[in-house]
Amino acid sequence: MIKQSIFVAAALSIALLFLSCTTPQDVLNDYNKHFEKTPAVTQDILETGNASLMLQELYKVDIEHTLVLTAPLGCERYEWKITDVGGKNLHETRTGRRLNIYIPDTKLHNAVLTTDGKSRLYDVTLTVKYKGKSYSDTAVLVLYAAD
């Protein structure tokens, strides 16, 4: 009787273990659904006069997450600026090909939390120097606090 009880308990435990597990692909898909996939941007857009395609028009980021944007490869200089919409009040300036900002470590985080509606609009401006010429593109950044 005890052996049967142990066997049944073990069988149920194994069955529940397999039912609760997901495949590695399920875990990867769950992780990837939190990111917006965009095509890679190359310096070809600068040579064809399409610098306005360096950034998307709009980015939405929860203030508990990280903002990561990448500029075209192969430029001589990169500068990122985050300002209030309209270019007023500079909040962040960064250099380098990649803009990587962990929002909870910035003043932007608190600014959103103290705003009615718990969201704020900013301009993100990327300026690059390529073959001696400067190119610029601006996008709207919506920072929001999730409920």
Side-chain angles (χ1 to χ4, degrees):
M1 183 70 169
I2 292 177
K3 286 183 181 181
Q4 283 182 327
S5 298
I6 292 173
F7 177 74
V8 170
L12 284 173
S13 297
I14 290 171
L16 288 174
L17 178 66
F18 282 112
L19 289 174
S20 67
C21 291
T22 57
T23 66
Q25 187 62 46
D26 291 338
V27 173
L28 184 61
N29 290 342
D30 183 54
Y31 176 79
N32 285 335
K33 76 178 181 186
H34 297 287
F35 299 94
E36 184 175 334
K37 296 174 182 149
T38 58
V41 177
T42 66
Q43 65 270 22
D44 293 344
I45 65 170
L46 302 175
E47 293 174 353
T48 59
N50 292 319
S52 64
L53 299 176
M54 288 190 294
L55 300 174
Q56 294 180 28
E57 291 181 24
L58 178 71
Y59 297 96
K60 297 177 185 176
V61 180
D62 184 319
I63 60 170
E64 300 302 325
H65 293 103
T66 302
L67 171 66
V68 180
L69 301 175
T70 305
L73 183 65
C75 296
E76 299 144 23
R77 184 176 48 91
Y78 302 91
E79 182 180 54
W80 300 88
K81 291 183 180 179
I82 297 180
T83 60
D84 290 329
V85 171
K88 302 173 186 173
N89 301 324
L90 180 66
H91 294 282
E92 294 281 334
T93 300
R94 305 281 172 103
T95 58
R97 184 168 168 256
R98 182 173 295 123
L99 175 65
N100 188 355
I101 300 176
Y102 181 60
I103 304 298
D105 287 346
T106 66
K107 293 179 183 177
L108 301 170
H109 184 269
N110 193 44
V112 171
L113 289 177
T114 58
T115 300
D116 291 338
K118 304 252 194 266
S119 67
R120 290 196 59 167
L121 297 176
Y122 296 95
D123 283 335
V124 176
T125 302
L126 167 63
T127 304
V128 299
K129 186 175 182 182
Y130 179 69
K131 292 186 178 179
K133 293 183 182 177
S134 290
Y135 300 91
S136 189
D137 190 13
T138 300
V140 174
L141 170 64
V142 178
L143 292 181
Y144 66 93
D147 293 332

